[in-house]
Amino acid sequence: METCETALAGPRVLSLPPALRPGDLVGVCTPSGPVVGLAAERFERGVRALEGFGWRVVVGPQAQVSGYSAGSARARAEEINVYLRDERVRAIFTTIGGYNANGVLPYLDYNALHSDPKIIIGYSDITAILLSVHAQTGITTFHGPTLMPEIAEYPQMLSYSTESLLSVVTGPGPRDPLRPPAIWTEEFLPWDEEDNRPRRLEAHSGWRWVGSTSGSGPLLGGNLETLCCLIGTPYLPSFEGAVLFWETCETSMAKLDRSLCQLDAAQVTSRLAGMVVGRSFRGGEAFENELRGHVTQRYADRGFPLVMNVDIGHADPMLTLPVGATAALDAPSRTFRLTTPGVRGGNSSRLPQAATEGRAE
């Protein structure tokens, strides 16, 4: 096996990257699945959307590579390393998820990032990078939208997603408790074929709280299946005293149960301060009910607050959560709050507002 070019840095004290400012340069990388051939028009719309936020954009070469992943693990890691070593680049956005982001972890230049912290954002398979970077450097990372599915939304990213993203990467984050959006959608329009109209929206049913306790700790988590791939590696941070957040792509309760059993066996869930569970991904209401029932049965008596049906990960719209920042959950008052920022400096920001894209149908 090839050895890592840059020695693992090891866990460090929490470090915050600088907030994004107008005119900053952001890099777009493809560290997991390929995007070439998927939807060229949608890709360009995503790049224009980033520019519309006031940032300058550079796109890495792996966006032009096809295969089961966007190139070899070394090539995908080097695309990121170029950004990590370039002091002009202040944030790294990812194009899409996939299955192989964990392959880049041994080759990332953690020391360069530690010397010059910058924002890294994504979700799904990108969970591997978010958790690894935080484990090895102590730098906050950001569980939030990727270019193709969310940022390139027609005619623009859903407003709840936009406000949440900007609130945590350009400033200290929302001062008030987080809250669910007024609307959501699971409609999929084939990219570059039918995604030329806004998707149909429906009323949001709210978040579901379990328990009568409160807890506070660092926010750690991401996609459940990807998180499980990191167990037993140096790329998974300690979850002791953490608020674990997770969401899943699975719509099989048997497979979901297997992953949760693995988390429990690895003692990831043994000493949590709280748990945030995301809405299922196109599982339908029957599966969503089954998921909530299973999670409640498994974790309701653990002594920590639990909130479910939360809009993270494979959900439209979605919250952006700073990995490593402190969050507080209070089940009696049904509040989920960020109590420390994910970036340093920047403008004060507002609470994500109820989306105004249109009425629920």
Side-chain angles (χ1 to χ4, degrees), residues 56-75:
R56 295 176 295 125
V57 180
V58 58
V59 176
Q62 302 311 119
Q64 300 300 319
V65 179
S66 61
Y68 68 85
S69 66
S72 70
R74 275 191 178 276

Side-chain angles (χ1 to χ4, degrees), residues 149-199:
E150 292 82 28
I151 297 172
E153 176 81 15
Y154 181 90
Q156 60 192 11
M157 187 160 64
L158 297 178
S159 63
Y160 180 92
S161 300
T162 299
E163 296 221 8
S164 183
L165 169 66
L166 296 181
S167 74
V168 297
V169 301
T170 68
R175 294 181 295 273
D176 297 325
L178 303 174
R179 65 189 186 199
I183 52 85
W184 71 288
T185 182
E186 279 190 325
E187 183 182 25
F188 175 70
L189 301 175
W191 294 348
D192 279 6
E193 297 177 17
E194 299 178 23
D195 62 337
N196 56 2
R197 66 163 176 83
R199 290 185 289 169

Side-chain angles (χ1 to χ4, degrees), residues 26-35 43 47 50 57-65 70 75-84 89 91-97 101 104 108 119-123 126 129-130 145-149 151:
V26 302
V28 174
C29 70
T30 309
S32 186
V35 294
F43 187 93
V47 172
L50 291 177
V57 180
V58 58
V59 176
Q62 302 311 119
Q64 300 300 319
V65 179
R76 286 178 280 129
E78 187 56 28
E79 180 181 55
I80 300 173
N81 287 339
V82 168
Y83 295 149
L84 298 182
V89 175
I92 301 172
F93 284 81
T94 49
T95 56
I96 201 167
V104 310
L108 293 180
I119 291 165
I120 301 175
I121 184 165
Y123 74 100
I126 310 304
I129 296 173
L130 304 182
T146 55
L147 187 81
M148 295 289 282
I151 297 172

